[in-house]
Amino acid sequence: MPFAEQTAPPSRREQILAAAAELFARHGFHGVGINDIGAAVGISGPALYRHFRSKDAVLGEMLTSISELLLDGAQSRVREATDPENSISSLIRWQVDFALDNPALITVQERDLGNLADTDRQRVRALQRRYVEVWVTTIRRARPEVGEPAARAAAHALFGLINSTPHSAHLDRAQMSDLLAAMAYAAVHSLT
């Protein structure tokens, strides 16, 4: 998985995905050419075709990979949690850490999802729906009095809060992490 934590140096393919994420975040998918991505990793644009069939394939793998990573990470945290409160805290920290550590990916996912090929878009949307369901179920376990529609709306509101981080550089990472986690946790506990 290209965006998972690694101990080995990134492969050329992973370097391409990381560079493309930064470029797409800065200039938008249509504002970046294959030559721009190649130059960012020290190869020619046409050499990218040894790794990806197209720029669309780069975006497809990028957004599919992060969607899989988010879902796998959320499911793992919920499985390892000792109780519903621990589950919600762990999910919040997972999303906060991902957003703070990957602002370019958050921006690309938010802005360029519509540029995916149909099959990639369907796959990413299916993964995102499953991710939302992990949150809805976890919120309802932590707050049983909250109905499904409210839990679903809350999950999306929490994503909006947490994923706004690429647009804020007022605090250092630790302070921002604590602030976002506290705000998200308070939001869950304000549900009735």
Side-chain angles (χ1 to χ4, degrees):
M1 198 169 291
F3 300 103
E5 290 185 48
Q6 300 176 344
T7 54
S11 68
R12 176 63 77 187
R13 190 174 181 88
E14 292 164 340
Q15 292 171 0
I16 291 167
L17 287 167
E22 292 295 329
L23 290 167
F24 293 165
R26 195 173 311 126
H27 304 291
F29 178 74
H30 293 297
V32 176
I34 208 80
N35 289 331
D36 299 320
I37 300 168
V41 295
I43 61 175
S44 70
L48 251 69
Y49 294 116
R50 289 186 212 136
H51 304 279
F52 293 93
R53 71 183 186 290
S54 65
K55 185 175 79 165
D56 291 342
V58 172
L59 182 63
E61 183 167 326
M62 180 187 304
L63 294 185
T64 299
S65 293
I66 65 170
S67 297
E68 289 169 344
L69 177 67
L70 284 167
L71 177 60
D72 292 346
Q75 290 171 330
S76 169
R77 280 153 181 79
V78 169
R79 265 192 316 273
E80 294 168 5
T82 56
D83 59 50
E85 287 299 317
N86 184 264
S87 290
I88 198 68
S89 293
S90 187
L91 277 182
I92 288 169
R93 281 291 178 187
W94 169 239
Q95 184 69 34
V96 166
D97 287 342
F98 184 85
L100 290 175
D101 293 342
N102 300 282
L105 292 173
I106 293 294
T107 299
V108 173
Q109 186 173 33
E110 176 185 302
R111 187 177 55 210
D112 291 316
L113 185 65
N115 293 317
L116 286 172
D118 287 341
T119 54
D120 288 331
R121 185 172 34 258
Q122 290 169 0
R123 173 109 174 100
V124 169
R125 286 291 192 199
L127 290 163
Q128 289 175 335
R129 283 190 294 275
R130 289 175 58 200
Y131 186 63
V132 169
E133 289 310 311
V134 171
W135 279 79
V136 170
T137 300
T138 303
I139 289 168
R140 294 197 70 211
R141 284 184 182 142
R143 300 297 308 265
E145 70 279 10
V146 175
E148 183 190 340
R152 187 171 309 287
H156 286 284
L158 290 168
F159 300 149
L161 167 71
I162 296 167
N163 291 346
S164 69
T165 57
H167 312 292
S168 175
H170 305 290
L171 300 173
D172 70 27
R173 190 205 184 285
Q175 292 171 320
M176 193 65 175
S177 176
D178 290 345
L179 176 65
L180 288 169
M183 291 174 71
Y185 194 75
V188 169
H189 286 282
S190 71
L191 295 171
T192 56

